[in-house]
Amino acid sequence: MGTLGILISLALLMYLAYRGINVLILAPLLALLALLFSGEVAMLLPTYTQVFMKAMGGYVMQFFPLFLLGALFGKLMDDSGSARAIAHGIVAKVGSQRAILAIVLACGILTYGGVSLFVVAFAVYPIGAALFREAGIPKRLIPGAIALGSFTFTMTALPGTPAIQNAIPNPFFGTDAFAAPGLGLIAGLIMFGLGTWWLSSQARKLKAAGEGYGEHRDDPIAQDDRGIPGFWLALLPILLVIALNYLMAKQVLPNIDASFLAKPEFGGLQDAKSLIGIWSIIVALAAAILLLVGLHWRRWANLQKSVNDGAFGSMLPILNTAAEVGYGTVIASLAGFVIIRDLVLGVSSNPLISEAVAVNILAGITGSASGGMSIALKTLGEQYLSLATAAGISPELLHRVAAMASGCMDTLPHNGAVISLLAICKLTHRESYKFIFVNTVGFPMVALVVVIMLGTMFGSF
């Protein structure tokens, strides 16, 4: 009954999230529903306050700086006109005749630099709409192009990306954002290459069948871009994020004397290995924010409002993800979870395959890459690290596989980012989801399989 309760709880989580009920409400209620099936009625309140809330609070404590700084950086990039400047610059360099490639590259550069995918979608969509209309490419391909550039290779594969999905494995495996860089680059090229090729072939096929951009009365009005900064000036904070993240992770922080971490007030840690990855991203984003403010000092209409809006914009994403972590922690504490855990661990003797399956399943159920991976690593991360160590598999390879697996099944139809992207583009699932699915589930899965094969044969590189 306990295992059945967990399965019913998971099914309801996926269905009700798709129906639009917020996970802050769903997560505790459905976690306690699974507890009821296990027959532990007297444990409802203790489980809620001592297990669910403790895990939720722990996640916020660990990752809130990344959510806060990421949201703030994205808002400032948007309000300063830098995001639009970069998108326009890419279009100018690639050429409007390559509209799909231009949009994918613009989204990729922005998200690789730490700009949130929601900011990117709002900034790039008007430009994409104008380009696609001019080129006669069906509008329903725009969400697929934005999703390819924002939800795939820059989110989980490219080394050094400050995306939260690339930071979550750090404390579990003692890695940093540059884990398995060679494999990450190969995976990124697979996603980028297959995605742009397929979208371009779909555009040619639809145009040959007589389908053009279409009539869309609700298209965005062209924005006045006379006051936006130049391309290279706009790109400077993004370059700083990437460079400083690398320097802090590889050169500066590993050489500090971290013996003070052994004190009780710092958690009694033996070294800073599990913290360096997160510290590096914090320093890089904070420095880039200060640079942004200084570079565009005369361009801010209301800097205080931009800062406040960016800070407030970080609240709901981290609380949603933290609630999913609390849910997963409760599920993992139930006796019925042992059966599920053993099934997942028994999928393959190769811990990379088992890890990929577990993260994919949970990301698909929760509709969240960060939420699904957090649940998987919090419940099974220690076992995977132990199995990998015994098999001679490096933690860096575990990191890259976990991050990439989180970006496959997460974008099923109930995913919040998918729903938001379609709303921004004023299109429906029926019109455009096919192009999102192939680019954000199909091709990332291909890249993940290639990385697991290469990693198994040659190790991490």
Side-chain angles (χ1 to χ4, degrees), residues 3 335-344:
T3 304
F337 180 74
V338 174
I339 297 173
I340 297 174
R341 182 198 65 194
D342 291 344
L343 282 173
V344 172

Side-chain angles (χ1 to χ4, degrees), residues 22-168:
N22 192 280
V23 74
L24 288 173
I25 298 171
L26 288 178
L29 291 179
L30 294 178
L32 297 180
L33 175 65
L35 185 66
L36 285 176
F37 271 86
S38 69
E40 301 180 33
V41 179
M43 300 297 291
L44 284 177
L45 288 176
T47 298
Y48 176 66
T49 59
Q50 304 306 116
V51 180
F52 181 92
M53 288 306 302
K54 183 178 179 181
M56 183 175 176
Y59 185 88
V60 172
M61 180 182 71
Q62 189 169 39
F63 291 110
F64 178 68
L66 302 189
F67 279 85
L68 173 64
L69 294 172
L72 183 54
F73 180 66
K75 181 61 176 173
L76 293 175
M77 285 288 292
D78 189 19
D79 287 358
S80 67
S82 297
R84 278 181 292 139
I86 291 171
H88 280 295
I90 295 297
V91 171
K93 296 178 189 309
V94 172
S96 59
Q97 71 277 12
R98 298 186 181 90
I100 290 174
L101 176 61
I103 294 304
V104 172
L105 285 175
C107 293
I109 288 174
L110 287 168
T111 49
Y112 188 45
V115 182
S116 78
L117 55 91
F118 296 104
V119 170
V120 170
F122 276 112
V124 174
Y125 166 59
I127 301 168
L131 287 176
F132 277 49
R133 188 189 305 111
E134 181 184 339
I137 300 172
K139 180 183 177 180
R140 59 197 184 104
L141 290 174
I142 294 178
I146 293 176
L148 175 61
S150 305
F151 301 178
T152 60
F153 56 96
T154 59
M155 186 177 85
T156 65
L158 294 188
T161 175
I164 189 65
Q165 291 80 5
N166 194 39
I168 288 172

Side-chain angles (χ1 to χ4, degrees), residues 48-302:
Y48 176 66
T49 59
Q50 304 306 116
V51 180
F52 181 92
M53 288 306 302
K54 183 178 179 181
M56 183 175 176
Y59 185 88
V60 172
M61 180 182 71
Q62 189 169 39
F63 291 110
F64 178 68
L66 302 189
F67 279 85
L68 173 64
L69 294 172
L72 183 54
F73 180 66
K75 181 61 176 173
L76 293 175
M77 285 288 292
D78 189 19
D79 287 358
S80 67
S82 297
R84 278 181 292 139
I86 291 171
H88 280 295
I90 295 297
V91 171
K93 296 178 189 309
V94 172
S96 59
Q97 71 277 12
R98 298 186 181 90
I100 290 174
L101 176 61
I103 294 304
V104 172
L105 285 175
C107 293
I109 288 174
L110 287 168
T111 49
Y112 188 45
V115 182
S116 78
L117 55 91
F118 296 104
V119 170
V120 170
F122 276 112
V124 174
Y125 166 59
I127 301 168
L131 287 176
F132 277 49
R133 188 189 305 111
E134 181 184 339
I137 300 172
K139 180 183 177 180
R140 59 197 184 104
L141 290 174
I142 294 178
I146 293 176
L148 175 61
S150 305
F151 301 178
T152 60
F153 56 96
T154 59
M155 186 177 85
T156 65
L158 294 188
T161 175
I164 189 65
Q165 291 80 5
N166 194 39
I168 288 172
N170 293 343
F172 294 99
F173 302 136
T175 50
D176 57 50
F178 294 87
L183 290 170
L185 285 171
I186 291 171
L189 288 172
I190 290 172
M191 293 184 219
F192 172 76
L194 290 177
T196 50
W197 163 79
W198 185 75
L199 280 176
S200 299
S201 66
Q202 288 296 299
R204 290 192 296 270
K205 179 180 177 182
L206 293 173
K207 289 173 72 174
E211 182 177 347
Y213 181 81
E215 292 294 329
H216 302 277
R217 296 180 180 178
D218 52 2
D219 270 1
I221 300 173
Q223 295 175 292
D224 183 1
D225 292 324
R226 285 177 295 180
I228 63 175
F231 175 74
W232 290 108
L233 186 66
L235 193 62
L236 196 57
I238 284 180
L239 296 177
L240 179 65
V241 170
I242 298 168
L244 195 53
N245 187 11
Y246 180 83
L247 287 174
M248 297 303 294
K250 298 298 185 183
Q251 304 295 328
V252 179
L253 293 179
N255 295 318
I256 66 170
D257 179 9
S259 58
F260 61 88
L261 291 174
K263 296 179 180 179
E265 60 265 34
F266 295 111
L269 299 177
Q270 296 302 311
D271 55 52
K273 192 174 182 181
S274 63
L275 300 173
I276 285 175
I278 293 175
W279 285 353
S280 300
I281 298 175
I282 289 174
V283 171
L285 285 173
I289 288 168
L290 293 175
L291 179 62
L292 254 176
V293 172
L295 284 176
H296 306 292
W297 187 253
R298 297 182 179 180
R299 197 172 271 114
W300 302 113
N302 189 335

Side-chain angles (χ1 to χ4, degrees), residues 380-455:
L380 297 169
E382 189 175 337
Q383 288 95 321
Y384 286 133
L385 185 58
S386 177
L387 290 170
T389 301
I393 296 172
S394 73
E396 286 74 18
L397 188 51
L398 279 178
H399 174 127
R400 189 54 54 209
V401 168
M404 288 184 58
S406 76
C408 295
M409 296 294 288
D410 64 313
T411 45
L412 293 180
H414 62 292
N415 173 268
V418 169
I419 294 169
S420 297
L421 175 58
L422 290 172
I424 291 168
C425 297
K426 296 178 175 60
L427 292 165
T428 65
H429 279 78
R430 182 185 295 274
E431 291 171 312
S432 292
Y433 181 68
K434 166 188 172 182
F435 306 108
I436 296 174
F437 178 86
V438 173
N439 277 314
T440 64
V441 177
F443 295 144
M445 197 73 77
V446 172
L448 176 62
V449 171
V450 171
V451 165
I452 291 175
M453 291 173 59
L454 290 176

